[in-house]
Structures are given as C-alpha cells and as structure tokens.
Amino acid sequence: MSTPPAAASRPRRVRLKPEIRSRLILDAALAEFGARGFTATRIEDIAARAGLTKTGVYAHYPSKDAIFAALLDHVLLQARMDITAAWHPDGTVALEDMVDAYLDRLYRMVQEPVFVELFRLLLAESRRAPELIRRWHEQVVQQYRAQEQALIDACVRRGVLRDSPLTQLFSLSVAPAFLWMASKSILGQDSAYPLEQVRSIHRAMLLDQLAPR
C-alpha cells in the first residue's frame, strides 16, 4: 500500500538524547536572557529558540529559575573540573608548574564566550533575581572557594607555598584575569590590557607572593 502524500511530506521527528536537549535549552536560554533579560524572558521564548515545546523544556527543567541556575553552574565549570589539578601539597610539582597550570585553566575560562556572557548576566540580573543568585553563590561559589582555600592552606602548612596575604584569601588571585576580561568586554579588541602582558605580569605576581622564603 502506498504512503499517503500528507504522511510522506511530514518531516520525520528526530529523537535527541536528553543531554543534547538539555544543552539546546541552556544555549537558547543564554541567548534569550542576554537579549531580553532574565525577568522578561518566558519559557515559551526559550522553547521556541530551542525548537522545543514548553512541555519539552519542562521535562528537563521545572522552572525558569532552574534553567538560570544550571547556566550559573557553568560559570565555575572550568574551575570545578579538578581543584587538585594545579596545587599539590605533597611538594611533587614545582611552584612554576603549579602556577602555570592554575593560570592555564583561569585564562581559558575568562576567554570562553559563554563564561563572559554569563558573567555579564550576573551583573545585570543581580538586582532582578537576588534570591536566585544568592542561593547559587552559597551553594556553588562558596563551596568551591572553601575547597580551594583548604588546598592552599595545606600547601602553606607543608611549606610548599608561603604564608602571605594572597594565600590567606586566595580567591583574590583571579583579579588580574577578571580585570582583563572586564576591559575586553567594555572596549572590545581595543582592550587597554593585552592578554599576554597581563598573564605574564600575573604569573610574576603569583610567584612573588607564593614562593617559600
């Protein structure tokens, strides 16, 4: 029996894996939040951009807040991959190599377009979604900082790193990279701080502050 014309012309639905659908939703949400702002964006807008129905979006994320939270988690994805990748309290890795590994990860992160856009959203939406951002900061950022600081403290106790103002609050160590990112975001390609120069000075600062004496 021949296939009816209407059925023959109907596009075949492609069943995507859940992780692919989730990525499509997050990519669409990032674009919509960037264009409309978090408050003005509707689930329908995200669904339309992702090529899904509202039901399809809700199958992965129960709310717009949950989508935004998943995007915010991506902010620390590079750093959270392996906190122990750079710092080795056992003294088996030279200080220069530890600093280089740390900077490699940090400067990859601040050059990633998704990270830059999310950081911009954080600044723009901090007053419109304060509870969501506060919860993310407590559950994600503070936990990561505590884990990293504990590792730095272990390095100090074992004499791998020097006890200095920087090791006492190591989260400040990202400042030069974030200054470069902010400058580039504002000025574009005409950034006042060339990347290689910033990284070179950043490396020298870390070595000066961390080297045992």
Side-chain angles (χ1 to χ4, degrees):
M1 184 171 63
S2 61
T3 303
S9 61
R10 187 182 302 130
R12 185 176 181 180
R13 185 177 179 181
V14 177
R15 184 175 295 277
L16 300 175
K17 294 181 179 180
E19 60 269 23
I20 296 178
R21 285 182 180 270
S22 178
R23 185 70 258 171
L24 286 174
I25 293 168
L26 294 183
D27 288 345
L30 180 63
E32 290 296 327
F33 291 154
R36 302 170 185 265
F38 174 76
T39 303
T41 297
R42 305 170 303 165
I43 290 292
E44 294 95 316
D45 302 322
I46 297 172
R49 186 179 286 267
L52 302 171
T53 63
K54 285 177 60 177
T55 302
V57 173
Y58 283 127
H60 293 272
Y61 298 100
S63 65
K64 188 172 68 171
D65 282 7
I67 296 174
F68 196 21
L71 281 170
L72 292 178
D73 282 347
H74 186 81
V75 172
L76 292 180
L77 179 61
Q78 294 293 330
R80 292 168 62 194
M81 288 175 61
D82 185 0
I83 295 175
T84 64
W87 308 108
H88 300 268
D90 58 8
T92 58
V93 179
L95 176 60
E96 290 83 357
D97 293 334
M98 290 193 293
V99 167
D100 286 338
Y102 173 72
L103 292 179
D104 284 345
R105 187 176 56 187
L106 176 60
Y107 280 88
R108 278 198 307 269
M109 184 170 68
V110 298
Q111 292 180 83
E112 183 184 353
V114 172
F115 176 84
V116 175
E117 179 60 20
L118 283 170
F119 188 78
R120 188 188 68 79
L121 277 173
L122 277 174
L123 296 177
E125 302 298 335
S126 60
R127 293 185 179 180
R128 289 191 282 267
E131 180 61 26
L132 174 61
I133 293 176
R134 183 194 62 79
R135 187 167 65 247
W136 168 78
H137 186 267
E138 291 177 351
Q139 295 176 357
V140 179
V141 177
Q142 289 184 348
Q143 288 185 21
Y144 169 75
R145 285 180 176 173
Q147 293 170 359
E148 183 180 56
Q149 187 63 53
L151 190 59
I152 294 298
D153 291 344
C155 288
V156 172
R157 286 195 302 271
R158 299 185 185 185
V160 175
L161 302 178
R162 183 172 87 256
D163 184 11
S164 69
L166 183 60
T167 55
Q168 292 170 18
L169 187 58
F170 194 71
S171 58
L172 294 178
S173 65
V174 303
F178 274 65
L179 175 62
W180 174 83
M181 182 181 68
S183 174
K184 188 173 186 299
S185 297
I186 295 170
L187 300 176
Q189 296 301 323
D190 298 326
S191 171
Y193 306 99
L195 176 62
E196 291 305 318
Q197 180 184 20
V198 171
R199 176 168 174 150
S200 177
I201 294 174
H202 195 174
R203 184 179 190 272
M205 291 169 59
L206 288 178
L207 291 174
D208 178 70
Q209 286 291 307
L210 300 177
R213 291 178 181 172

